[in-house]
Amino acid sequence: MKSLNDLHLENNARMGIYNKRTVPVAYHDLAIEYKAVRENALLVDYSHMAIVSVMGDDAWALVNHMASADISIIRDEQGIYSLVLNEDGTIRGDIYVLCTPDGYYILSENIPAPELIERLTSILESDEAHDIVERPEIKSMADSGWGAIMLEGPYSWEVMSEIYGYDIIGLPYFEYINEADDLIIFRCGKHGEFAYMAIGQEASLVKLWETILSIGEKYELKTGGIQYQDIVRLENTGWDESLFSDYSQNPIELQMQWAIQYDKENFIGKSVIEPQSHNLAERKLIGMLPTAECSGINSDDKVLVEGKEVGVIVKSAFSPALQSFIALALIDNDYALADLPGFEILTSEKHIPARTKSVPFLYNLSMLINPAEHSFIDPSKSKRIV
């Protein structure tokens, strides 16, 4: 049986290790893959996504104790985004939780399956397991040959509708459907674009990958690797360990409190992070845009106001969509307000005038497309472009 890895090697993809799994880093130049995800559709192997099954009558109590979000609000064929916190209230990683009739699937890009299982097992063995009468069955679905692929971009819905019909178009955000090919099709995505993750047996994923490619040329669809995240996760920011771990893992500083349900029953890290939530953080994450020509901004560059240091650059990159460098910075709380001028970024070469910017930086093309009115290939409908 041909594997996803075989397909990648046949097409000379550059491979790398993410979340302890080997997946493509790139198929093409970054500019090509970026253009596809922002204007058309990009097909990516997401087999770095850990998939852990937690099944049984008391699975809810176990998963809910690990997740910062309230798992009780989702029902069968629904998902939710959540953080996983450490005991000290810092962020360990993020997860999607998918509800099934028998329990839950936990998906994570940045917490390997063995660690997720270890965390769940630790809860079962702790004093917090008093609500769990019947021990849930926990296993990594990679052991059963599961993986994931992602189709992402403003016209990904149209590609998927050719395969699965119009039910895909009406699929709400954070809901999934079980398809006849035994794949779960989950509408998700962290980058502000239409996005569909297919989850299941690798043989079915290989077949779907090849099917998507067979119809994708007319959509100018491209295959890609994980490298595209380097830009899109700055433009549409969320938790990403590679962005933030050297600077902060505090969800309040990173303005990710929306992923924490403080009023639910106890969860890992609640006793520390809930008291902190009642007070303003000393600093907050905010976007920054240079207001003059700029050749580059680097991590650790200082942010100044009237010569006073008020923050530090966390990450910066050139945004093709904005045709400008963009940056994320941790700024003293008194100055961390959107759309304020009067800042300077002190680089190794010069002082660059800048202003703050609310995130996300982009209003994506996907936000402007209406599947009832637009199409990439149907001449009777308008083709909305950037």
Side-chain angles (χ1 to χ4, degrees):
M1 181 192 76
K2 183 176 289 188
S3 67
L4 285 169
N5 195 63
D6 292 335
L7 292 177
H8 305 323
L9 296 178
E10 286 175 4
N11 289 279
N12 300 315
R14 179 162 57 89
M15 308 297 286
I17 304 295
Y18 287 79
N19 204 24
K20 298 187 177 181
R21 297 292 299 273
T22 300
V23 291
V25 176
Y27 262 83
H28 307 91
D29 289 342
L30 178 56
I32 293 173
E33 296 180 14
Y34 175 88
K35 178 179 173 64
V37 78
R38 289 306 192 198
E39 299 182 14
N40 311 90
L42 183 71
L43 179 60
V44 182
D45 186 350
Y46 258 56
S47 292
H48 64 294
M49 183 76 72
I51 309 170
V52 172
S53 166
V54 186
M55 299 295 161
D57 291 342
D58 291 328
W60 168 80
L62 177 57
V63 175
N64 205 41
H65 190 77
M66 186 179 74
S68 67
D70 187 356
I71 306 304
S72 68
I73 68 174
I74 59 173
R75 298 293 180 263
D76 187 19
E77 297 191 346
Q78 292 182 332
I80 195 170
Y81 176 85
S82 177
L83 299 176
V84 173
L85 303 182
N86 297 309
E87 292 286 356
D88 63 1
T90 58
I91 299 173
R92 168 56 188 95
D94 62 358
I95 57 176
Y96 293 118
V97 179
L98 275 57
C99 182
T100 80
D102 301 315
Y104 300 90
Y105 292 119
I106 301 172
L107 318 177
S108 181
E109 288 190 77
N110 41 64
I111 309 177
E115 183 179 337
L116 286 171
I117 293 172
E118 181 182 354
R119 284 174 171 262
L120 292 166
T121 303
S122 295
I123 296 169
L124 286 173
E125 296 171 351
S126 72
D127 294 337
E128 304 297 339
H130 59 272
D131 291 332
I132 302 173
V133 177
E134 182 179 339
R135 188 183 181 98
E137 181 184 1
I138 307 168
K139 65 178 182 179
S140 170
M141 296 308 294
D143 296 338
S144 299
W146 279 35
I149 63 176
M150 176 82 87
L151 184 65
E152 184 172 13
Y155 287 98
S156 57
W157 58 270
E158 194 168 15
V159 178
M160 293 296 276
S161 70
E162 283 202 39
I163 303 168
Y164 294 113
Y166 284 95
D167 286 347
I168 284 289
I169 296 176
L171 187 64
Y173 192 51
F174 284 170
E175 292 197 13
Y176 70 89
I177 53 178
N178 294 287
E179 283 297 338
D181 52 9
D182 294 326
L183 291 176
I184 294 170
I185 308 298
F186 178 40
R187 184 178 171 199
C188 56
K190 299 179 179 180
H191 313 133
E193 303 292 357
F194 284 107
Y196 302 87
M197 188 187 302
I199 306 157
Q201 290 285 344
E202 185 169 17
S204 296
L205 294 173
V206 168
K207 183 178 178 180
L208 178 58
W209 183 281
E210 293 176 328
T211 301
I212 290 173
L213 290 183
S214 71
I215 64 175
E217 185 175 358
K218 58 181 176 287
Y219 294 97
E220 299 178 19
L221 177 147
K222 301 295 182 185
T223 48
I226 302 301
Q227 69 166 0
Y228 81 105
Q229 294 180 355
D230 292 346
I231 299 178
V232 296
R233 290 196 174 169
L234 277 177
E235 295 172 332
N236 295 78
T237 188
W239 171 253
D240 189 308
E241 185 176 11
S242 65
L243 289 178
F244 304 123
S245 61
D246 290 340
Y247 296 89
S248 177
Q249 293 173 281
N250 184 297
I252 300 172
E253 290 185 347
L254 298 178
Q255 303 209 54
M256 294 201 69
Q257 293 200 68
W258 56 270
I260 302 175
Q261 192 72 33
Y262 291 106
D263 60 356
K264 77 169 194 174
E265 293 186 15
N266 196 29
F267 57 90
I268 294 173
K270 179 181 179 180
S271 62
V272 176
I273 201 63
E274 183 182 25
Q276 292 182 21
S277 71
H278 300 303
N279 303 306
L280 290 175
E282 292 184 4
R283 56 184 188 168
K284 289 195 300 189
L285 187 78
I286 197 162
M288 301 210 74
L289 288 173
T291 56
E293 187 174 340
C294 166
S295 60
I297 301 169
N298 296 306
S299 301
D300 293 333
D301 285 347
K302 306 305 180 185
V303 180
L304 311 177
V305 172
E306 296 180 345
K308 175 186 175 182
E309 183 177 325
V310 298
V312 62
I313 298 296
V314 171
K315 195 75 171 179
S316 179
F318 184 81
S319 167
L322 296 176
Q323 286 295 293
S324 170
F325 279 92
I326 60 175
L328 294 174
L330 279 167
I331 302 293
D332 293 350
N333 187 66
D334 290 343
Y335 298 90
L337 301 171
D339 300 315
L340 288 182
F343 291 83
E344 288 184 317
I345 299 172
L346 178 59
T347 72
S348 59
E349 298 179 355
K350 61 180 179 179
H351 289 65
I352 301 170
R355 63 180 177 89
T356 55
K357 173 72 171 67
S358 60
V359 293
F361 287 93
L362 295 185
Y363 193 80
N364 295 344
L365 180 58
S366 289
M367 303 294 290
L368 302 173
I369 285 178
N370 181 345
E373 299 176 1
H374 302 110
S375 169
F376 197 83
I377 61 171
D378 186 346
S380 69
K381 296 182 179 180
S382 64
K383 175 183 171 182
R384 187 132 197 180
I385 58 175
V386 177

